[in-house]
Amino acid sequence: MKRKYFGTNGIRGVVGKLITPDFVSRISSAIASYMLDKGTMVIGSDSRLSSPSLKEIVISSFLAQGIEVIDLGIVPTPLVQFAVSYLQADMGLVVTASHNPPEFNGLKVIDSDGIEIDIVKQKGIEETFEAETYQDGKTETNKNITKMNLIPEYINQIVGLVDVDLIQKKKLTAVVDGGNAVGSLVTPYVLRNLGIRVVSVNCQLDGKFPGRGVEPDPRKLRVMGYAANQVKADFSVGHDGDADRAIFGDEKGKIYFGDKSIALFESWILQNSDNKQFVTPVSSSLAVVDIAENLGGSVTWTPVGCIYVSRKMIANNCILGGEENGGLFYAPHQSVRDGMMAAALMGNILAESQSTLSDLISELPQYYQAKEKIKCSNNLKELVMEDIKTNVQADEIISIDGVKLIFSDSWILIRPSGTEPIFRIFVEAKSKEKVEILLQDSLKLVAEAIQKYQQ
Ligand code: MG
């Protein structure tokens, strides 16, 4: 379903280009009008320089539509999601552009169950926006804005879901890299409440994100790794701009991509819970399948995007989901990505284990990955994918988002870009050599299929 403004996670754009006061006012009116007739919404924002003024515009639009507003201040996105459920509000909004550079901003729209709204509602909002079928000033009475600090309640819920006594006894040390963003306001305090000694890096809020940028790319988290090594930390954790993701590093200072940490969380849950389903997008590593098979569990695949993982977890009553970008979903807390919850769970895993984090990760199934892109005009994409599905032999073919061809110890994923005339090709195998061969084979396979339909 094509959308004009909503992307994989909310509406985002450059401030002064797409994100102007006029646009934010009108889209907020459309959101309020489409989502609610009356009721309460909770709102929070990230620490960008443009966030306070944009948040005031959103609030004004909601008040003018007769909606009560609860303002949570500058907070992580998962805290707003928690607040929607905790306060039994009718919806939530976060003014944030997550991991995008400082000149961006955007809106994440949260449904009454605390999860980002689905595509049908995104489309409904856009139609309301285009048709301008909203009316400001329909309220006869002034609605209220209530300011609320829910950080203590949020921290309490997270702390209540891990083994505090065990973690306290272990006397762990952690380095937290907040990326000059909102994770800095919560994660150090969550961990200190668990008796973990915290050394913080980039934990002063700065809307320009001068420390290491706001995307927690493991290659940019060198200072966090260095600090972990220097202070003899047991682990380190870095967040993105709205702290719904967590990237971890070990006691030696090595930083891991999210596929390693989610595999570790999966392994831990499958050993400790009767609920043995792990929910993850089709782009995730086969390591999660190996782990599930070894521990008597199963993997449920979803399209790429956190909304799909959350919705599938609720539909199938699953306890854990994960994304290779460092998104961890833990249902006893909430079925959405939550970087703070992930940090607390890592404390629990290390407190329980006699091994170091580097040892735990080295015991996980090892795979290598590579990716490439190839040009393909939009009108040929469906034909090419159909052709590949019909003509290629694989152990299993998953076609919920692009085409994923799974072989005994490798896979190829061919995904059409939603915004560009290209296919993205991902491959994974047990050795670096095999990955390179597989990547070249995949490019050839897709190029040949494209050629068939080009004339
Ligand atoms: Mg984020």
Side-chain angles (χ1 to χ4, degrees):
M1 200 185 283
K2 278 253 176 285
R3 289 145 298 148
K4 192 169 171 187
Y5 301 108
F6 280 91
T8 42
N9 205 333
I11 297 169
R12 279 185 216 165
V14 173
V15 176
K17 289 189 175 167
L18 175 67
I19 306 296
T20 61
D22 176 55
F23 173 78
V24 172
S25 167
R26 289 190 296 121
I27 197 82
S28 300
S29 296
I31 295 168
S33 166
Y34 178 82
M35 294 287 292
L36 303 175
D37 192 29
K38 56 185 186 322
T40 306
M41 75 88 122
V42 294
I43 188 165
S45 81
D46 67 16
S47 58
R48 282 162 203 274
L49 297 175
S50 59
S51 291
S53 59
L54 294 176
K55 190 177 77 177
E56 294 308 318
I57 294 169
V58 178
I59 290 175
S60 303
S61 304
F62 272 76
L63 292 174
Q65 297 265 329
I67 313 293
E68 300 270 351
V69 175
I70 297 173
D71 181 3
L72 302 168
I74 297 176
V75 288
T77 291
L79 194 148
V80 178
Q81 297 178 294
F82 158 82
V84 171
S85 307
Y86 186 80
L87 300 171
Q88 295 186 326
D90 300 289
M91 65 165 291
L93 257 167
V94 194
V95 178
T96 181
S98 186
H99 61 273
N100 286 93
E103 61 273 23
F104 282 75
N105 216 325
L107 294 173
K108 285 188 179 182
V109 187
I110 315 294
D111 219 332
S112 58
D113 58 3
I115 299 173
E116 293 90 338
I117 55 166
D118 62 24
I119 288 175
V120 174
K121 288 186 177 171
Q122 294 172 13
K123 192 77 187 152
I125 289 168
E126 293 197 353
E127 281 165 7
T128 307
F129 174 82
E130 296 288 353
E132 296 189 36
T133 49
Y134 48 84
Q135 285 179 334
D136 290 338
K138 68 181 178 186
T139 177
E140 294 87 40
T141 52
N142 285 331
K143 294 298 168 189
N144 294 318
I145 312 176
T146 313
K147 289 197 187 287
M148 212 178 264
N149 173 15
L150 278 188
I151 291 176
E153 286 81 358
Y154 175 74
I155 290 177
N156 277 345
Q157 175 158 310
I158 293 175
V159 169
L161 289 167
V162 293
D163 191 336
V164 183
D165 290 343
L166 187 75
I167 301 171
Q168 277 178 342
K169 278 190 198 122
K170 189 84 177 204
K171 299 202 183 311
L172 297 166
T173 296
V175 173
V176 176
D177 185 336
N180 301 115
V182 290
S184 317
L185 300 170
V186 180
T187 301
Y189 305 97
V190 167
L191 298 181
R192 277 177 195 144
N193 268 284
L194 298 173
I196 297 175
R197 181 170 77 105
V198 174
V199 176
S200 57
V201 173
N202 298 320
C203 275
Q204 58 284 64
L205 295 194
D206 189 321
K208 291 184 176 166
F209 311 121
R212 44 88 173 162
V214 75
E215 164 70 33
D217 183 326
R219 290 161 292 200
K220 291 184 182 162
L221 291 168
R222 284 195 209 100
V223 174
M224 177 174 98
Y226 178 77
N229 192 284
Q230 290 296 304
V231 304
K232 302 197 182 334
D234 299 279
F235 72 99
S236 59
V237 56
H239 296 301
D240 69 319
D242 65 339
D244 54 356
R245 296 193 276 134
I247 291 292
F248 291 94
D250 67 20
E251 76 288 352
K252 293 176 183 164
K254 181 168 180 188
I255 315 293
Y256 298 96
F257 282 93
D259 59 334
K260 297 288 183 198
S261 53
I262 63 164
L264 180 62
F265 286 118
E266 179 203 13
S267 167
W268 181 70
I269 282 288
L270 263 51
Q271 288 173 69
N272 288 288
S273 168
D274 294 334
N275 189 323
K276 295 192 187 293
Q277 263 190 81
F278 181 66
V279 184
T280 196
V282 288
S283 53
S284 290
S285 168
L286 269 185
V288 299
V289 176
D290 294 355
I291 291 167
E293 280 173 359
N294 286 339
L295 297 170
S298 63
V299 172
T300 303
W301 302 109
T302 72
V304 175
C306 62
I307 300 171
Y308 301 110
V309 178
S310 294
R311 300 267 165 220
K312 183 61 82 179
M313 284 177 70
I314 288 181
N316 291 15
N317 196 22
C318 300
I319 198 170
L320 194 78
E323 295 175 319
E324 49 79 33
N325 62 10
L328 189 80
F329 308 63
Y330 185 57
H333 175 50
Q334 50 181 353
S335 296
V336 296
R337 301 196 292 209
D338 192 311
M340 282 67 48
M341 185 72 239
L345 287 173
M346 182 60 83
N348 204 138
I349 290 175
L350 291 174
E352 252 177 51
S353 174
Q354 301 306 314
S355 306
T356 59
L357 182 53
S358 63
D359 285 342
L360 289 174
I361 288 193
S362 70
E363 289 160 12
L364 295 169
Q366 176 76 39
Y367 283 89
Y368 296 88
Q369 287 139 356
K371 57 184 168 185
E372 238 337 322
K373 49 191 173 190
I374 182 166
K375 280 190 181 158
C376 175
S377 56
N378 289 333
N379 59 333
L380 295 184
K381 283 175 177 172
E382 279 301 325
L383 289 168
V384 168
M385 287 193 291
E386 264 315 308
D387 186 273
I388 290 168
K389 261 191 278 181
T390 343
N391 294 321
V392 178
Q393 297 288 318
D395 293 356
E396 192 185 349
I397 299 180
I398 301 174
S399 48
I400 50 176
D401 187 357
V403 185
K404 185 170 186 176
L405 307 162
I406 303 181
F407 310 101
S408 64
D409 58 358
S410 63
W411 55 260
I412 301 169
L413 172 65
I414 300 153
R415 283 187 73 220
S417 161
T419 50
E420 296 171 76
I422 56 166
F423 275 115
R424 295 184 200 284
I425 297 173
F426 304 81
V427 298
E428 184 181 73
K430 281 274 186 194
S431 72
K432 282 181 185 165
E433 297 72 28
K434 180 102 191 276
V435 157
E436 200 38 53
I437 295 167
L438 200 59
L439 188 62
Q440 294 314 320
D441 287 352
S442 319
L443 284 167
K444 196 166 156 235
L445 176 78
V446 179
E448 283 172 1
I450 294 170
Q451 206 155 29
K452 262 194 222 176
Y453 298 99
Q454 245 167 2
Q455 285 84 27

